[in-house]
Amino acid sequence: LGRIVRFIDNHDTYRFLRKGESQTLLKPAFAFLLFSMGFPLIYYGAEQAFRQTETRLTPEGGDAPADPQNREDMFAEGEFKSESSQGDKFDASSPTYKLLQKLAEARKDLVPLRRGAQYVRWSDPWGAGVYAFSRIHEGQEVVVVINTAAEAREAEMFVDNDITPAGTALTDALDGAYGVEAHPGSEGGSKVSVRVPAHGARVLVKKSK
């Protein structure tokens, strides 16, 4: 599993974002790619919110091929351009580029996000919502909580009782103003209750003293 390459789009598929969809959808998608087990593959143009015009359920091929919109030019003048790729898209100041940069820095700073074993902690069973997992490496637990819903969601989930016992303070590596404290679970063990913004992600780590 650790050698799997994960991607949300590539040169043989539709781009992840479709026309009319909010680019905020990229945050939970990028977070899953960068923080879950395996090698993350970010296809060029995703960091600039390139889009496909077809709807998400349109089958590829025939009258709805994936290319050229999944192989657009990033430079200002090019043969293959669309509404989302107009102009010079080598833009290191765009919101989606900066988002990807911030998530990549968290992956670089936290070893468990690169090398840790992965344990699913929560998954909303009825559609879009919270998906959470822990990455654990050499006694350090990082809890990743992703929200794919278009509204804020909250979930209570188990964490490792030995590494993150009740009373442990956790802070969000992506938003230092947010923190939670582990508490005893009614069934035993240790739990955390986490609120995540719409199309958001949290990376919870033990708070430094």
Side-chain angles (χ1 to χ4, degrees), residues 47-50 74-75 86-99 101:
E47 83 288 355
Q48 302 297 345
F50 281 14
M74 296 194 74
F75 43 86
Q86 290 299 314
D88 181 2
K89 289 299 183 179
F90 290 95
D91 184 3
S93 64
S94 72
T96 45
Y97 184 98
K98 286 186 170 294
L99 165 64
Q101 184 179 49

Side-chain angles (χ1 to χ4, degrees), residues 27 102 170-180 201-205 207-208:
K27 186 168 187 176
K102 185 174 186 176
L170 302 173
T171 189
D172 184 358
L174 303 178
D175 176 9
Y178 182 85
V180 297
R202 297 204 185 279
V203 178
L204 301 174
V205 297
K207 190 173 183 179
S208 300

Side-chain angles (χ1 to χ4, degrees), residues 6-9 15-18 21-37 39-43 46-47 56 96 99-100 103-104 107 129 131 133 144-149 174 196-202:
R6 299 186 182 276
F7 60 88
I8 57 174
D9 50 22
R15 289 193 178 277
F16 176 77
L17 275 186
R18 308 301 165 88
E21 291 182 334
S22 172
Q23 67 183 35
T24 60
L25 286 168
L26 285 171
K27 186 168 187 176
F30 283 163
F32 180 76
L33 284 184
L34 288 166
F35 302 150
S36 61
M37 187 177 289
F39 296 105
L41 185 158
I42 305 294
Y43 186 53
E47 83 288 355
R56 192 164 294 279
T96 45
L99 165 64
L100 183 57
L103 299 180
R107 176 183 167 88
Y131 180 72
F133 54 90
V144 178
V145 188
I146 296 169
N147 180 14
T148 61
L174 303 178
V196 191
H199 297 157
R202 297 204 185 279

Side-chain angles (χ1 to χ4, degrees), residues 5-161:
V5 176
R6 299 186 182 276
F7 60 88
I8 57 174
D9 50 22
N10 64 24
H11 64 286
D12 285 329
T13 66
Y14 285 152
R15 289 193 178 277
F16 176 77
L17 275 186
R18 308 301 165 88
K19 187 175 181 179
E21 291 182 334
S22 172
Q23 67 183 35
T24 60
L25 286 168
L26 285 171
K27 186 168 187 176
F30 283 163
F32 180 76
L33 284 184
L34 288 166
F35 302 150
S36 61
M37 187 177 289
F39 296 105
L41 185 158
I42 305 294
Y43 186 53
Y44 92 96
E47 83 288 355
Q48 302 297 345
F50 281 14
R51 300 168 183 272
Q52 203 88 24
T53 57
E54 285 77 13
T55 64
R56 192 164 294 279
L57 297 179
T58 301
E60 182 192 347
D63 296 332
D67 63 345
Q69 287 179 322
N70 66 349
R71 307 185 187 200
E72 296 164 301
D73 298 315
M74 296 194 74
F75 43 86
E77 299 297 331
E79 181 180 356
F80 300 110
K81 303 293 286 186
S82 70
E83 182 179 342
S84 64
S85 65
Q86 290 299 314
D88 181 2
K89 289 299 183 179
F90 290 95
D91 184 3
S93 64
S94 72
T96 45
Y97 184 98
K98 286 186 170 294
L99 165 64
L100 183 57
Q101 184 179 49
K102 185 174 186 176
L103 299 180
E105 287 173 352
R107 176 183 167 88
K108 179 181 178 182
D109 291 342
L110 298 169
V111 176
L113 294 179
R114 305 192 309 273
R115 302 188 180 280
Q118 183 164 323
Y119 303 89
V120 175
R121 299 303 190 188
W122 184 267
S123 179
D124 279 343
W126 307 117
V130 173
Y131 180 72
F133 54 90
S134 290
R135 301 292 307 274
I136 296 178
H137 179 72
E138 295 185 351
Q140 182 181 13
E141 180 174 20
V142 177
V143 185
V144 178
V145 188
I146 296 169
N147 180 14
T148 61
E151 63 278 332
R153 293 286 181 87
E154 186 169 358
E156 182 185 57
M157 65 203 69
F158 281 107
V159 288
D160 190 284
N161 192 49

